[in-house]
Amino acid sequence: MMRNVHLVPEDEDDIYTGYNDYNPQFDEDIDNDEGFQQAVKTSHGRRPPPTASVKPVLGAGPRPLGTAAQRMKTGMVSSMGRPTTGAQEGVARPMTAVRAAGYSSAPRGMQFDPLNQAKGPAPPLEAKAEDSPEEKVKQLEKKVMELVEESCMANSRAEFSLALEKAKEAGRQERQLVRQREQLASGEQINLDLTYSVLFNLANQYAANEMFNEALNTYTVIVKNKMFSNAGRLRVNMGNIYFKQRNYAKSIKFYRMALDQVPTAHKEMRARIMQNIALVFIRMGQYSDAVTTLEHVMNEKPDFKSGFNLILCYFALGDREKMKKTFQRLLNCALNIDDEDKYLPHPDDKHYNMILEVIRNDTLRRMEREKKTYAEKCIMAAAKVIAPAIEGSFAAGYDWCVDHVKHSMVCELAQELEMYKAMCFLRKKNVEEAVETLKSFEKKDSKVASTAATNLSFLYFLENEVGQADKYAEVAMTADRYNPSALVNKGNCVFMQGEYERAREFYQEALRNDSTCTEALYNLGLTYKKVQRLEDSLDCFLKLHAILRNSAQVIYQIADLYDQLEDTAQATEWFMQLIGVVPTDAFVLARLGEIYDNEGDKTQAFQYHYESFRYFPSNIEIIEWLGAYYIDSKFCEKAIHYFERAAVIQPSQVKWQLMVASCHRRSGNYQQALETYKDIHSKFPENPECLRFLVRICNDLGLKEAQDYATKLKKAEKARELREQRASSGSRRGSGRGIREHSAGSDRASSADSGRGGSGGSRGGSARAGSASRGGSARSGSGRMRLPDSNEPYEATKKEVDASYVDPLGAAAERPKTAARQRGQQPEDEFGDEELGDDLLPD
């Protein structure tokens, strides 16, 4: 082994001579070398090194420097152009066969770059292949979840059709996802939660769209799949669907199956399911079973809903004692709401007040208000139900409920119950008790006293006792000046007194206190309309119409104001809107027909008048218009029907029967016209118009009766002239005649003449009484004077001058003497004490 080792003799040149020599120029502190540090920080040191210090080796040819020189060149090239190790003076050492580890030869001119900045930014990350099966599965799964969320959001917006379409699309995409996973042989990675969400959402959307069979099928798929945990609770939803279908037996079955799968530790869920079971029993009329279920709920987890339903069951069973006990248990139910004091401001703690501004109306606060409102609603409804049943009278029942409510945590409801008690008295028409109940609130706190005084003021206003209404309106305003109802009542009182400006001020103050007070705005519009400020009134009613869109009264006021402003187009449009709200209002139809009639559109006018007649066939004005329309249209036969109806409604008015006869005559039916005139003459023998037509028609027909009717006509005209003369003479007498008749009538009234029935101070009244006391002469048989028979409707007619005058004082010998008769006889008293002869009376 040693024979292969060659030892170099001392006289031979060592090829490694000078390799370990040290150049003192490199003995520098690099950290403190300013040139070096400047080169590192900037591109100063990136310039190529100078080549003057490198001497070429003769005969060596072009070749790279050795290893040491290469290391020094690439590792430490100074900015001063220092020589490298391999480029020392003398002959360059030969290349070694083995290069040092970690070094390689490089061309000249390589720059110093210790931070590798010359290479540029790092290349971007390699993108994932989108066409890979795993990526496709993930994208499809994400799309399914997005569809489910969109379906739920559409359902929350009540867009049920869109929600169902999204749910179906999510189901299709989920099945495609399952098939792709099966193709990838990754069945163990199937997302069961996603499948459950898709099916559950689809079932809910079917139920929301009332597709109950499809919803039940989808729920059945979920429930029967053993891979879904806790899916059995969905039987509650299936029970709800059967309940909507009124299949109560199956509903109870599924509720009980769901109840069996809920652990006993979940008391709230079990209580809710049992509430559903009790409601089904109530719908089925099985109140005893419902009582058993609700009693269990009240023992386990009492709440207001179960307590109220239990009271209703006992009310249906008629158990008074159980109603009382359950009402007491209802009052003791816990609200589970934090102390209200935390919402009160702290004057010394600004930080707490800032927090209070945030939480005063946040979601939690609103939820607490809703719970409290629901509890109060249940208690009030229960009290109203049981009060008339638990005692002998509803007043005693309300007193019992009020006493127990006062000692509960909702004591503020006691006063509201007493107020409702007063309203019950009003419903039973017992105004005195209602007034006494409301008066008992006068000494209560200001808010309750104001409410009670407001109700009292309104009661007195309805009874037309404006003074008392004004008094209690003042009391209500004194107790609470910001009570808009009290201000409205006060405005109503001064309105009735004719002080329209004061009424307007009260209505405006009520609106300033409560801008949503529709009563004040409506009354303000009426006040402006009363003082002929039609534009202001129209503004008020238009504002009110924006609040009450379908109020018939508001729409009518707007239409009427446009009509008064002579804006026919707007009036017609608003009346058309009003007919859309109240299509059977005969008055509105007649009003619209009148507008078209004034415009000259007879066709539309007839249409609306006829519609008004159909809904209210007793309106004389509409009947008269329709009859006149047919006469103008030359259809006299059709007008007969309307005038005959008018004659039935007003049998004491001769003009309707004359119009019937005239229609027969104009249509050429003279025989029927003659019969009609004869019938009218039998009822109204003194009517000259009837006699005149009888004379004419008899002459036209050549009847012998024409002369008889002519004689009667002359007598009737003479009698009418005498009556008119008496009427005119009576009007000329003036007040002196009235004083005389009053005194005589008063003396006459003191006698035992009971047939007059009154003081006789009124001239018309004494005339009627005189006719009655005389036993009924032919003159008293006048159609205008006699009352209708018992089988005829009473009709209040206009007051007219009594042409058939009969002196109520009787004959001259029986009348007491008065000072007025001492005066000279006047021409108007010529027939005062005499009766007309037989030649002036009709046969």
Side-chain angles (χ1 to χ4, degrees):
M1 180 176 179
M2 293 297 296
R3 66 177 179 265
N4 296 327
V5 177
H6 175 70
L7 296 178
V8 180
E10 294 180 359
D11 55 347
E12 291 184 4
D13 294 334
D14 189 1
I15 61 174
Y16 293 100
T17 301
Y19 185 81
N20 292 326
D21 293 343
Y22 178 72
N23 190 349
Q25 292 181 357
F26 297 108
D27 189 11
E28 294 180 13
D29 188 2
I30 297 176
D31 294 335
N32 296 325
D33 187 357
E34 295 180 0
F36 180 82
Q37 295 297 330
Q38 183 68 19
V40 172
K41 292 179 181 180
T42 63
S43 61
H44 180 71
R46 298 180 184 176
R47 293 176 299 174
T51 57
S53 59
V54 180
K55 297 180 180 180
V57 180
L58 297 175
R63 61 184 179 90
L65 296 177
T67 303
Q70 182 68 21
R71 181 172 65 246
M72 290 303 300
K73 177 181 178 181
T74 59
M76 293 183 180
V77 179
S78 174
S79 62
M80 302 301 294
R82 297 185 184 128
T84 57
T85 305
Q88 300 288 338
E89 294 181 359
V91 182
R93 64 181 177 83
M95 293 292 295
T96 57
V98 181
R99 288 183 292 179
Y103 289 88
S104 61
S105 56
R108 291 181 177 271
M110 188 171 182
Q111 300 179 0
F112 178 78
D113 188 14
L115 301 178
N116 294 323
Q117 295 179 355
K119 295 182 179 180
L125 298 176
E126 185 179 357
K128 295 183 178 180
E130 295 184 358
D131 55 348
S132 63
E134 293 80 3
E135 189 65 25
K136 288 183 179 179
V137 168
K138 289 182 180 180
Q139 292 296 330
L140 190 57
E141 186 174 310
K142 183 179 179 181
K143 184 177 180 181
V144 171
M145 286 303 302
E146 289 177 354
L147 288 172
V148 172
E149 292 176 359
E150 291 176 1
S151 175
C152 295
M153 294 302 295
N155 182 279
S156 66
R157 297 191 302 267
E159 299 176 1
F160 301 120
S161 300
L162 178 61
L164 181 59
E165 291 298 327
K166 295 290 184 181
K168 289 181 178 180
E169 181 64 23
R172 289 191 290 267
Q173 296 291 338
E174 193 273 336
R175 287 192 294 272
Q176 182 180 354
L177 174 64
V178 172
R179 286 195 296 269
Q180 288 192 7
R181 288 186 181 275
E182 290 176 352
Q183 292 175 1
L184 294 174
S186 58
E188 68 280 357
Q189 298 179 2
I190 294 177
N191 193 344
L192 292 177
D193 293 336
L194 181 63
T195 304
Y196 179 86
S197 300
V198 170
L199 292 175
F200 180 63
N201 179 62
L202 181 60
N204 283 338
Q205 304 310 328
Y206 276 134
N209 286 272
E210 297 184 356
M211 301 172 66
F212 297 129
N213 293 330
E214 291 82 354
L216 289 173
N217 294 335
T218 308
Y219 280 127
T220 303
V221 171
I222 300 175
V223 169
K224 290 185 176 181
N225 194 334
K226 302 300 182 182
M227 300 178 67
F228 297 138
S229 59
N230 299 324
R233 299 181 183 181
L234 295 182
R235 289 189 171 89
V236 175
N237 296 11
M238 300 175 72
N240 294 339
I241 293 176
Y242 283 120
F243 181 82
K244 292 180 180 179
Q245 292 179 333
R246 299 181 183 275
N247 192 346
Y248 299 128
K250 281 193 173 182
S251 179
I252 292 178
K253 173 184 176 182
F254 277 89
Y255 284 145
R256 286 176 172 170
M257 291 172 65
L259 186 64
D260 293 339
Q261 296 189 3
V262 176
T264 55
H266 299 172
K267 292 184 178 180
E268 185 172 356
M269 180 174 288
R270 292 180 63 87
R272 295 199 175 194
I273 296 175
M274 295 185 72
Q275 285 178 358
N276 292 356
I277 295 174
L279 289 176
V280 177
F281 279 132
I282 292 174
R283 285 294 185 91
M284 296 173 67
Q286 300 178 12
Y287 300 112
S288 300
D289 297 334
V291 164
T292 303
T293 306
L294 290 173
E295 284 286 359
H296 180 74
V297 175
M298 290 296 289
N299 292 331
E300 292 292 329
K301 191 174 180 60
D303 63 304
F304 290 97
K305 183 178 180 180
S306 300
F308 178 70
N309 291 334
L310 185 58
I311 288 176
L312 293 180
C313 292
Y314 282 130
F315 178 80
L317 295 173
D319 195 335
R320 294 186 176 184
E321 295 300 324
K322 291 294 181 65
M323 279 190 279
K324 291 183 177 180
K325 292 181 180 179
T326 309
F327 185 74
Q328 294 176 3
R329 294 171 65 183
L330 183 66
L331 293 176
N332 294 328
C333 289
L335 278 173
N336 297 324
I337 297 178
D338 294 338
D339 190 7
E340 294 287 336
D341 294 339
K342 70 179 181 180
Y343 296 106
L344 298 177
H346 291 187
D348 300 331
D349 193 347
K350 294 183 179 180
H351 180 68
Y352 183 82
N353 291 335
M354 293 175 62
I355 297 175
L356 183 62
E357 290 296 329
V358 177
I359 68 174
R360 182 170 291 171
N361 198 31
D362 61 348
T363 307
L364 177 61
R365 177 60 173 164
R366 290 196 296 269
M367 186 187 69
E368 291 177 351
R369 285 201 196 101
E370 291 174 359
K371 290 180 64 177
K372 186 176 180 180
T373 302
Y374 181 77
E376 293 176 353
K377 181 180 177 181
C378 289
I379 293 172
M380 289 293 297
K384 294 173 185 178
V385 168
I386 69 173
I390 57 177
E391 299 291 344
S393 64
F394 83 94
Y398 271 106
D399 292 337
W400 184 90
C401 293
V402 168
D403 291 339
H404 284 78
V405 170
K406 285 181 179 178
H407 297 88
S408 67
M409 61 180 178
V410 287
C411 56
E412 64 273 6
L413 295 180
Q415 295 176 349
E416 188 174 349
L417 273 176
E418 292 187 34
M419 196 74 67
Y420 188 79
K421 176 184 173 183
M423 299 300 105
C424 290
F425 279 125
L426 287 178
R427 291 191 182 97
K428 294 181 178 295
K429 310 298 182 182
N430 193 346
V431 181
E432 292 78 7
E433 291 291 339
V435 170
E436 291 299 325
T437 305
L438 292 173
K439 285 183 178 179
S440 64
F441 288 95
E442 292 183 4
K443 297 182 180 180
K444 300 294 180 63
D445 60 332
S446 59
K447 185 176 181 180
V448 178
S450 178
T451 304
T454 301
N455 292 337
L456 281 171
S457 175
F458 185 68
L459 284 177
Y460 283 121
F461 186 81
L462 292 179
E463 293 180 351
N464 204 21
E465 298 183 14
V466 181
Q468 289 291 331
D470 193 7
K471 171 188 172 183
Y472 282 100
E474 287 286 351
V475 172
M477 291 169 57
T478 304
D480 184 7
R481 183 68 184 185
Y482 297 98
N483 185 355
S485 299
L487 292 168
V488 170
N489 287 343
K490 179 65 176 178
N492 293 343
C493 294
V494 297
F495 183 92
M496 294 299 294
Q497 295 170 2
E499 302 178 16
Y500 302 121
E501 287 300 322
R502 287 189 61 199
R504 178 182 61 82
E505 292 175 0
F506 283 115
Y507 295 144
Q508 288 178 344
E509 185 177 355
L511 286 173
R512 286 194 295 269
N513 294 338
D514 183 7
S515 59
T516 62
C517 184
T518 56
E519 295 84 359
L521 190 57
Y522 186 89
N523 293 349
L524 181 61
L526 292 180
T527 306
Y528 282 132
K529 187 177 180 182
K530 191 72 174 179
V531 297
Q532 294 301 314
R533 295 173 58 178
L534 301 182
E535 294 291 345
D536 295 335
S537 177
L538 184 61
D539 290 340
C540 292
F541 286 115
L542 288 175
K543 291 178 183 178
L544 191 58
H545 177 66
I547 301 173
L548 306 174
R549 303 295 299 179
N550 295 323
S551 175
Q553 296 178 350
V554 176
I555 298 175
Y556 172 77
Q557 293 294 341
I558 295 174
D560 184 61
L561 285 168
Y562 276 122
D563 192 18
Q564 294 186 29
L565 292 170
E566 298 182 356
D567 191 346
T568 307
Q570 287 291 338
T572 304
E573 180 181 350
W574 282 97
F575 273 122
M576 292 295 292
Q577 292 186 25
L578 182 57
I579 290 174
V581 177
V582 282
T584 61
D585 194 312
F587 177 77
V588 177
L589 292 167
R591 185 70 180 276
L592 190 56
E594 181 182 352
I595 292 176
Y596 280 116
D597 189 19
N598 295 334
E599 291 293 314
D601 191 348
K602 295 293 183 180
T603 304
Q604 289 290 342
F606 169 75
Q607 180 66 30
Y608 287 106
H609 277 97
Y610 181 74
E611 290 294 322
S612 176
F613 173 76
R614 284 201 314 115
Y615 291 116
F616 183 40
S618 300
N619 192 337
I620 291 296
E621 295 179 357
I622 301 301
I623 292 173
E624 184 177 6
W625 191 94
L626 289 171
Y629 172 79
Y630 279 119
I631 291 175
D632 294 339
S633 302
K634 309 301 181 182
F635 294 104
C636 299
E637 299 86 353
K638 293 185 178 181
I640 295 174
H641 168 70
Y642 296 101
F643 291 129
E644 286 178 346
R645 181 176 291 274
V648 172
I649 297 172
Q650 292 183 348
S652 60
Q653 294 290 333
V654 67
K655 68 175 183 178
W656 306 122
Q657 301 182 39
L658 289 174
M659 292 299 295
V660 172
S662 178
C663 289
H664 285 301
R665 183 172 56 84
R666 292 189 180 190
S667 61
N669 193 352
Y670 293 102
Q671 189 63 36
Q672 185 64 37
L674 179 61
E675 294 298 329
T676 306
Y677 280 125
K678 287 182 178 180
D679 184 58
I680 297 172
H681 177 65
S682 64
K683 296 178 181 179
F684 304 95
E686 295 181 350
N687 188 269
E689 289 81 6
C690 178
L691 290 170
R692 190 175 293 111
F693 282 114
L694 278 172
V695 171
R696 183 182 302 174
I697 198 170
C698 288
N699 287 329
D700 293 342
L701 295 176
L703 300 177
K704 298 179 180 180
E705 300 172 357
Q707 186 62 34
D708 295 337
Y709 288 124
T711 304
K712 293 180 181 180
L713 176 60
K714 292 180 181 179
K715 292 181 180 181
E717 289 178 347
K718 289 181 180 180
R720 184 174 66 177
E721 290 176 359
L722 291 174
R723 287 193 295 269
E724 291 176 354
Q725 184 180 0
R726 287 179 180 277
S728 60
S729 63
S731 61
R732 288 196 301 269
R733 286 292 296 270
S735 60
R737 174 77 177 267
I739 294 173
R740 180 181 63 79
E741 289 179 356
H742 178 71
S743 60
S746 301
D747 295 337
R748 191 70 173 177
S750 61
S751 64
D753 189 1
S754 61
R756 296 182 184 179
S759 64
S762 172
R763 180 174 179 181
S766 54
R768 286 190 292 272
S771 300
S773 62
R774 290 172 188 268
S777 63
R779 194 179 301 262
S780 65
S782 174
R784 256 175 267 167
M785 295 305 301
R786 68 181 184 86
L787 292 174
D789 296 335
S790 59
N791 59 348
E792 295 178 352
Y794 176 77
E795 179 69 24
T797 59
K798 298 180 179 180
K799 294 183 179 180
E800 299 179 357
V801 177
D802 188 6
S804 59
Y805 175 75
V806 178
D807 195 347
L809 304 181
E814 298 177 358
R815 188 184 66 221
K817 303 297 183 180
T818 61
R821 296 298 294 164
Q822 297 293 333
R823 301 172 185 173
Q825 294 292 334
Q826 298 180 3
E828 47 270 29
D829 291 331
E830 181 179 358
F831 299 97
D833 300 322
E834 296 181 7
E835 293 187 3
L836 297 176
D838 293 337
D839 57 335
L840 297 178
L841 295 176
D843 294 336

